[in-house]
Amino acid sequence: MLSPAPPPPERADGKPKDVSFDREKTMMRLLLTEGYGHEVREGAHVTVHWSASVPADDGALAEVFSTEAKHPRGVRFVVGRTLHCEAVERALIGLKPGSVLHCFCTDMDAASCPELGFTPRRLVEGARKVWESPGGPIGVLQGALEPPGMIAPKPEDTPPRWQPPRSVTQFHIKLDAATDGPVPMLMDPHERLQWCHEAKQWGSELFRRGLYARAMRRYKKTMLDLEIPCQWSEQQNIERNHLRLQAHLNIAACGLKIPPRPWSHPNLSPPKTYWDPLHDAIFHCTRVLAVDPANVKAYFRRAQAHLQKPPSEHINGLQLAKEDLKKALELDPKNVEVRKLYAKAKELQREADAKAASVMTKMFQAGDLI
């Protein structure tokens, strides 16, 4: 007997959902049509059609890219193991085959698709009046006009005032098909380690392609999968801890590569959760050194992060960098990179001392005149 036909897809309620990895509201999903079947997870093979639209000079959305021309049968990739558009990939997680949706992305890096050659653009002058308004489409999706809660939050929990986006891309996505992806929680220890090794290797591939923020998120997801409780053997636990240390160091390497600029969406994170890539690098190196005090890479990368942070934001950064580099040289005296950076740090220290001496001299001279 034939199986009964599946029920028709239901209309979704249109409620926006934040699908960005760090919950910064940079990728807001609107489900238009709900599919049926199993939900998409990381590791699932999917087939999708998607198009991208950006605000034109009159403020209206205009389609600038579609997969139909070169991929009439749909684009196929593995979720979590692809160079295709990150916004499209993130928007698919948790959906069912047959789903149709919009995804509004304000992160230019996440909206680009290296695999298909699509690159978003900044808002044009004529579109800013509509799309930079708190009452505009993005402002409404990101909650710019939401009323304050009945209980006033603590100062560190209060997000700054909403700021307009620099770029907006609307993706129209149709999920044609999807396989049932693996569930890390249900894996045995051997499968879990293999899964995490593959995820780390893919993060390294993203790093080689220059997609540093995306690679960092992949390493962080690897660490989350390693933390799920499991009956590890002694040898497997050693391998797990080694993999965890590698992920910490790789996250630090990504943080050092991300340009030192205010993060794209500081307005969407409270001060206590504001994400600074260099602070992330320092934090993860410190975690490595807490377990492995003789790790030269951790000392070296933490010193790099200390030196890259502006002195106005990191008063003791130069001294902390010198201490890390000195310790690294004690552990590996022949390391050329450490020696070069240590020489640079000492030169910066001499310049800082000379500047401080000049300021003190002027202060004393001014005191003599009084």
Side-chain angles (χ1 to χ4, degrees), residues 264-282:
S264 301
H265 306 273
N267 55 300
L268 302 177
S269 296
K272 72 176 184 180
T273 59
Y274 172 73
W275 182 61
D276 177 3
L278 293 176
H279 178 75
D280 232 16
I282 294 171

Side-chain angles (χ1 to χ4, degrees), residues 2 13 151 154 162 168 249 281 288 297 305 310 315 332 334:
L2 295 176
D13 59 4
I151 302 177
K154 298 178 181 178
W162 181 84
V168 176
L249 289 171
V288 171
K297 280 186 178 181
I315 297 175
D332 186 6
K334 297 182 179 179

Side-chain angles (χ1 to χ4, degrees), residues 147-159 270-272:
M150 296 181 62
I151 302 177
K154 298 178 181 178
E156 64 269 21
D157 293 327
T158 305
K272 72 176 184 180

Side-chain angles (χ1 to χ4, degrees), residues 223 243-253 284-285 287-288:
M223 295 183 66
L243 184 57
R244 186 191 283 118
L245 290 181
Q246 289 179 332
H248 276 302
L249 289 171
N250 290 349
I251 290 171
H284 286 279
C285 287
R287 292 295 298 271
V288 171

